Amino acid sequence: RSHDREPVWSRDGKFLAFTRQRPEGADLNDIYCFSLEKGELQNLTSEKAPAIRHSLEWVPGRNLVAYVTRENEWLSISVVNADNKAGWTVTRESGDKTEPRFAQDEARMVYVRTEGFTTVLCERSLHSSSAVALDPGEGVVRYPRWLAGKQVAYAFSAPQRPVGFLVQENTAKAERHAILLADQPSIGGQQFRQPQPFEFETGPEEMFSGMLYRTPEVSGAAPGVVYLPDGPLVTRRGEFQIEEQALASTALTVLTPVIHGASGFGSAVEDDLRDYADTELESNDLAEAGRALGREESVDASRIALV
């Protein structure tokens, strides 16, 4: 009945940390730590305000637990001491910081930072004042992991580049090597669309954005599609999207909009659907996206679909 989740052992095997849901909400958690030697269980965040807390990771050589939390506008990475409950916020830059992973024997971590349509790979020491971006360009990074020495592996994708895995040293200018997978499909000879930024009004003096896929060589007005296959809260980011590419290849113009409630654009956008639950804010956003798409010269306003 306690809704305990995310068990993770300390590197010496003496402590078990996990999250326990708070009664204030399903997405709010405390961090607990059980000492195997003492048989004691303590709440490491009992003196902190209710907050999102997840993605636990032990820091090598220190009795510290790192975790993702949101105590301000963005998701950040913080640490808490399992001995005295002291802690601090490690990352303070803009963007949602998630997926913290520490090196095997050093208090250095990699994590991903999402802001807008891109997700970049960052690397930093636990006590440094800033992070270094390691990824190879605008796109989406996922699943960072440390390898032997100071090498890092991660998945990377861009609108015209299907997802693949790269390995490099933990410096921004390090040479990157692609990991070739068996039976990886060939993309030779394929022409993929590069989406363009697209802005539209959702209210008085309020602009939202999206990504617009179109086939430039098509003459005349083409049908349009407002495309949110994962629901309005999930943003289609700047990675390879085979569905959008397939639709655009048939001469459709495809808009994947950001609307209120979407993640990766700060708490002001993410919390709006909760704050305005008694309104038709979501429906209005979708209608405005469709109207804006119909005003494009290359789009037939009488033939617009919503998916």
Side-chain angles (χ1 to χ4, degrees):
R1 294 185 179 183
S2 298
H3 297 284
D4 296 341
R5 299 289 187 271
E6 295 193 73
V8 56
W9 286 99
S10 62
R11 304 197 177 210
D12 58 10
K14 296 180 179 180
F15 299 91
L16 177 68
F18 59 90
T19 62
R20 175 171 292 179
Q21 183 179 312
R22 293 181 63 107
E24 292 90 342
D27 57 346
L28 307 178
N29 295 288
D30 277 324
I31 299 175
Y32 280 75
C33 180
F34 177 73
S35 171
L36 202 63
E37 293 180 342
K38 298 180 181 179
E40 295 178 352
L41 178 66
Q42 62 172 334
N43 184 344
L44 302 183
T45 55
S46 59
E47 299 173 9
K48 297 180 179 291
I52 293 172
R53 298 183 181 98
H54 59 79
S55 303
L56 308 187
E57 172 85 347
W58 284 89
V59 179
R62 304 281 299 276
N63 211 16
L64 297 172
V65 181
Y67 59 97
V68 173
T69 183
R70 196 180 83 181
E71 297 174 350
N72 46 44
E73 184 178 2
W74 302 100
L75 289 175
S76 300
I77 298 171
S78 297
V79 293
V80 60
N81 193 307
D83 296 322
N84 57 23
K85 301 184 181 181
W88 69 93
T89 301
V90 179
T91 60
R92 297 186 179 276
E93 69 269 30
S94 62
D96 285 336
K97 283 77 64 180
T98 57
E99 298 192 60
R101 292 292 184 273
F102 279 88
Q104 184 62 33
D105 54 3
E106 187 179 357
R108 302 194 68 86
M109 71 172 176
V110 288
Y111 58 95
V112 298
R113 178 169 58 84
T114 298
E115 186 173 13
F117 296 104
T118 61
T119 302
V120 302
L121 176 64
C122 299
E123 191 269 2
R124 67 184 299 154
S125 165
L126 187 65
H127 300 286
S128 64
S129 58
S130 61
V132 175
L134 301 184
D135 63 289
E138 289 194 358
V140 173
V141 171
R142 302 179 189 275
Y143 320 124
R145 296 292 187 274
W146 288 92
L147 303 180
K150 295 185 179 298
Q151 287 191 321
V152 179
Y154 54 95
F156 176 76
S157 176
Q160 295 177 299
R161 177 176 175 171
V163 64
F165 290 90
L166 302 175
V167 175
Q168 69 173 91
E169 297 285 333
N170 65 332
T171 58
K173 296 183 179 181
E175 185 177 358
R176 301 176 180 92
H177 302 278
I179 301 176
L180 299 180
L181 304 177
D183 300 323
Q184 187 169 348
S186 172
I187 59 171
Q190 300 293 323
Q191 291 185 343
F192 298 122
R193 276 65 181 170
Q194 176 65 40
Q196 302 299 316
F198 182 84
E199 291 190 339
F200 61 97
E201 293 185 4
T202 59
E205 300 183 356
E206 188 167 30
M207 298 290 294
F208 268 36
S209 59
M211 301 185 74
L212 191 68
Y213 294 76
R214 70 168 95 218
T215 304
E217 59 268 22
V218 173
S219 60
V225 180
V226 178
Y227 196 63
L228 297 96
D230 305 310
L233 306 187
V234 180
T235 300
R236 304 285 278 189
R237 304 197 190 277
E239 58 190 321
F240 184 73
Q241 303 285 7
I242 192 170
E243 296 164 8
E244 283 91 318
Q245 293 287 352
L247 290 169
S249 71
T250 65
L252 295 172
T253 298
V254 184
L255 170 62
T256 58
V258 174
I259 68 174
H260 291 92
S263 62
F265 293 85
S267 60
V269 171
E270 192 169 337
D271 292 342
D272 273 350
L273 291 187
R274 182 187 306 142
D275 296 340
Y276 296 94
D278 58 341
T279 73
E280 296 183 351
L281 182 65
E282 177 181 332
S283 300
N284 180 71
D285 287 348
L286 295 175
E288 292 299 337
R291 293 190 188 101
L293 181 59
R295 288 193 290 270
E296 287 290 290
E297 184 176 347
S298 60
V299 176
D300 183 349
S302 67
R303 294 190 294 168
I304 294 180
L306 169 65
V307 178

